[in-house]
Amino acid sequence: MKDPRRYAAHLVDHYLGARIDSAGPAPGLREAVIDLVAAAVPGHIEPLMRTQLDLLTHPSSNRFPDAYLADRATAEDALQKAAAGLRTALAQAGHLVNAQAFERGTAARLRDDSRPALRGELARIPRPLARPGALGWSLDPAPWFSDSHHEEEPWPPLGLASVAGLRSLPEGARALARVDDGPHAGWVQIGLIERQRTPARRYPDQPARQVLILVGLEAADDNPPPGTLPVSRAPWQLWTRPLQRLAPALTRAAAAAEHISTTDQALVALTDAGATPMVDAPPRRSGPGLPPYVLAPAASVVAALGLQPTAGICGFSLSDTAGEALICRQWRGHLVHDGSFEPLLPVVAGADLLIRPDLFARLHATIGPSRCQAGIHVSHTTAAQDDDIHDDED
């Protein structure tokens, strides 16, 4: 490799950038990590990567295998080695810190957090059928291509045009789907996100394609502004930490209810735990295995309803005194291939947010029937075969 340090800098930014940035004042940490990775490129990363790719991919493949490869492992190892000497480096620069508190805090910010991935696995279900009636066409997922007859299916999918220009569904809260069966029968789906994607095919030629669907409960006096999304942003720790620890100012239920009843806002949030961020947010990579998307209620909803993280081993779940109150479910599947020797790819990935019926009635009354809206965003993308559609999970 002609420039190992440039390659090392790319690996560090790609895999570790957000975590290093969150470490706070850490002079020289990024440069030390890059130096360690660069030193490992010629004698370790390159030969090991060649062996891994030879063993894990077909000779005709140009797609990286879904595995924890040497480039990522070396970057992680370099971060741990460099961070281990961070307190000593600060001391040499004249900054003396409390050793125990510094080590604990720095480790918490730099560690590769596996908890979102583990909870995502616990929250996985078979792909559900619950979604607003206006999105019934989307139940027939990718690849929009008949493998048996080599016939092109309609693109964009039939039905997409009927909602492509909408920012909210005309039926308001009545448009939100309810779960038909299972342990959460009758619960209301106040949030939905699903990506349907097909890879570019070599034979017969077909470009990469993608459909993205978002639905979210919103409080608004008028139609939401065009070009906006029906979701806000939130830390994924809303599922794991009591709100009084995350946002002490938002813990008063009466104040939160008044805020919901008077302020235009999205009441569903896309958290930073997902492996696939929206276009306006940088990826926050925190280890392999992250679910593509993790939804959560807005903090104001958590406060107004008095919800707390569900105790015990679970997926994404909040409870009140009556029991489980609000959950986020995950799904990923519908395997297809790209017409070559590539492994099958899961091209449908999604999540939804369910709330117990009695709590939805309470939330609906708090918002106000005339202000309760079902926001929507539906888009489709086509990419040339050489470009493909970038997948942030790779």
Side-chain angles (χ1 to χ4, degrees):
M1 183 174 295
K2 294 182 179 180
D3 193 345
R5 201 174 194 284
R6 182 178 179 182
Y7 176 61
H10 166 73
L11 293 181
V12 170
D13 288 340
H14 186 65
Y15 290 127
L16 308 173
R19 288 159 60 192
I20 293 177
D21 291 341
S22 69
L29 177 60
R30 185 185 299 267
E31 290 74 16
V33 176
I34 292 173
D35 288 342
L36 289 170
V37 175
V41 169
H44 177 71
I45 296 181
E46 284 189 316
L48 185 52
M49 283 282 287
R50 280 196 296 267
T51 301
Q52 289 174 329
L53 296 177
D54 287 343
L55 294 174
L56 297 175
T57 59
H58 190 275
S60 67
S61 173
N62 60 3
R63 184 183 296 273
F64 268 42
D66 186 12
Y68 195 78
L69 300 175
D71 57 347
R72 186 170 198 157
T74 304
E76 184 67 36
D77 185 58
L79 175 63
Q80 300 305 321
K81 289 180 178 178
L86 184 56
R87 185 163 58 88
T88 301
L90 288 174
Q92 291 175 340
H95 301 286
L96 299 179
V97 295
N98 180 282
Q100 188 175 20
F102 177 81
E103 297 286 357
R104 185 187 301 115
T106 303
R109 292 189 293 271
L110 287 178
R111 71 185 176 193
D112 194 355
D113 194 349
S114 63
R115 293 173 299 170
L118 293 174
R119 285 181 176 263
E121 286 302 304
L122 292 171
R124 284 185 68 171
I125 61 169
R127 182 174 181 250
L129 301 180
R131 60 193 60 207
L135 296 175
W137 55 268
S138 66
L139 288 172
D140 184 18
W144 310 292
F145 186 85
S146 173
D147 290 320
S148 59
H149 302 293
H150 288 176
E151 295 174 354
E152 189 79 18
E153 295 290 339
W155 177 257
L158 294 176
L160 186 146
S162 64
V163 294
L166 296 181
R167 181 53 184 81
S168 61
L169 294 172
E171 301 92 340
R174 296 190 305 275
L176 298 172
R178 291 179 180 260
V179 179
D180 290 332
D181 51 23
H184 299 99
W187 286 40
V188 183
Q189 185 187 69
I190 60 172
L192 169 70
I193 182 168
E194 185 173 81
R195 180 198 66 199
Q196 301 182 6
R197 178 176 64 91
T198 55
R201 294 181 63 107
R202 293 183 178 86
Y203 177 78
D205 289 341
Q206 183 189 38
R209 292 169 170 174
Q210 176 173 291
V211 167
L212 182 66
I213 298 167
L214 287 110
V215 177
L217 178 65
E218 294 182 280
D221 289 312
D222 299 311
N223 291 329
T228 59
L229 297 177
V231 291
S232 60
R233 303 237 172 246
W236 83 274
Q237 288 85 357
L238 278 172
W239 292 110
T240 61
R241 295 182 190 172
L243 189 61
Q244 54 266 34
R245 289 178 55 191
L246 285 175
L250 295 177
T251 54
R252 291 177 53 235
E258 182 179 0
H259 182 67
I260 290 174
S261 66
T262 58
T263 306
D264 292 357
Q265 60 185 296
L267 300 178
V268 174
L270 188 65
T271 76
D272 56 9
T276 307
M278 303 305 294
V279 293
D280 60 341
R284 287 182 54 87
R285 300 181 181 275
S286 187
L290 291 176
Y293 307 103
V294 177
L295 298 175
S300 56
V301 173
V302 178
L305 300 180
L307 305 181
Q308 297 288 332
T310 301
I313 299 173
C314 62
F316 303 107
S317 175
L318 298 175
S319 295
D320 61 7
T321 55
E324 195 173 44
L326 199 150
I327 66 168
C328 173
R329 306 186 297 180
Q330 300 283 324
W331 59 91
R332 188 181 183 201
H334 197 72
L335 302 178
V336 300
H337 65 85
D338 66 353
S340 69
F341 294 98
E342 298 284 357
L344 297 178
L345 299 169
V347 295
V348 175
D352 66 2
L353 194 64
L354 304 182
I355 189 170
R356 210 172 61 211
D358 62 305
L359 289 181
F360 177 72
R362 182 175 157 191
L363 181 60
H364 184 268
T366 300
I367 298 169
S370 64
R371 302 183 68 251
C372 199
Q373 302 204 29
I376 186 173
H377 167 85
V378 178
S379 61
H380 68 279
T381 307
T382 303
Q385 180 156 340
D386 292 339
D387 297 333
D388 208 342
I389 294 174
H390 178 65
D391 186 357
D392 287 294
E393 296 166 72
D394 289 343

